[in-house]
Amino acid sequence: MISARTAGAVRVAGTSVPAGYPSPAQDYFDGTLDLNEHLIKDKTSTFIVRVSGDSMEGAGISSGDELIVDRAAEPRHGSVVIAIVDGELTVKRLHLSPRGVMLMSENPAYPPLRIGESELSIWGVAQVCLHRV
């Protein structure tokens, strides 16, 4: 039976794994890591959204990835945000300047979205990208 306390707990290897040359395997683990505590700052304001499209690939966010989004986090210049523009959801990088607000793609095939007359609402700030390998 899985308790609420251990539902997000995953064993942690006691050593780092080199990405270069192989090293001798270690057959032991060094405790556990609760993924909820590690990935989520505030459960009450956090949700997960699945990305579709390729406009954020330059930021390492691909179609099918899932973003852990915190609605309580303050959107700042450079934040990756989930925004609602004229009633449509989008994931973009927030660009704040004296000339105004823009939502920037991380793919040169997509132009910046200038927010002028458009209605903009920031739904939350992306904190973590879950990307399958």
Side-chain angles (χ1 to χ4, degrees):
M1 180 174 174
I2 298 175
S3 71
R5 182 164 167 24
T6 61
V10 177
R11 293 188 319 165
V12 177
T15 184
S16 60
V17 178
Y21 294 102
S23 70
Q26 303 277 337
D27 287 333
Y28 62 90
F29 290 90
D30 189 31
T32 61
L33 172 74
D34 185 326
L35 292 177
N36 290 312
E37 289 178 15
H38 187 67
L39 299 175
I40 298 171
K41 186 182 281 187
D42 182 357
K43 279 179 142 179
T44 61
S45 65
T46 300
F47 63 96
I48 295 176
V49 63
R50 181 167 288 126
V51 175
S52 64
D54 62 354
S55 72
M56 295 301 288
E57 284 188 345
I61 301 171
S62 302
S63 191
D65 287 353
E66 293 157 330
L67 299 176
I68 297 177
V69 180
D70 188 344
R71 293 197 73 182
E74 182 179 337
R76 300 178 189 274
H77 176 77
S79 297
V80 173
V81 298
I82 306 301
I84 303 172
V85 181
D86 294 333
E88 301 283 327
L89 279 170
T90 188
V91 56
K92 298 285 183 267
R93 190 167 303 278
L94 183 64
H95 183 82
L96 304 172
S97 76
R99 295 190 331 225
V101 176
M102 290 193 304
L103 296 175
M104 309 293 288
S105 297
E106 295 279 342
N107 180 333
Y110 297 89
L113 236 159
R114 290 193 185 279
I115 306 300
E117 300 297 315
S118 300
E119 184 178 322
L120 170 68
S121 177
I122 303 296
W123 216 31
V125 178
Q127 302 294 308
V128 176
C129 179
L130 303 173
H131 181 82
R132 298 202 187 277
V133 294

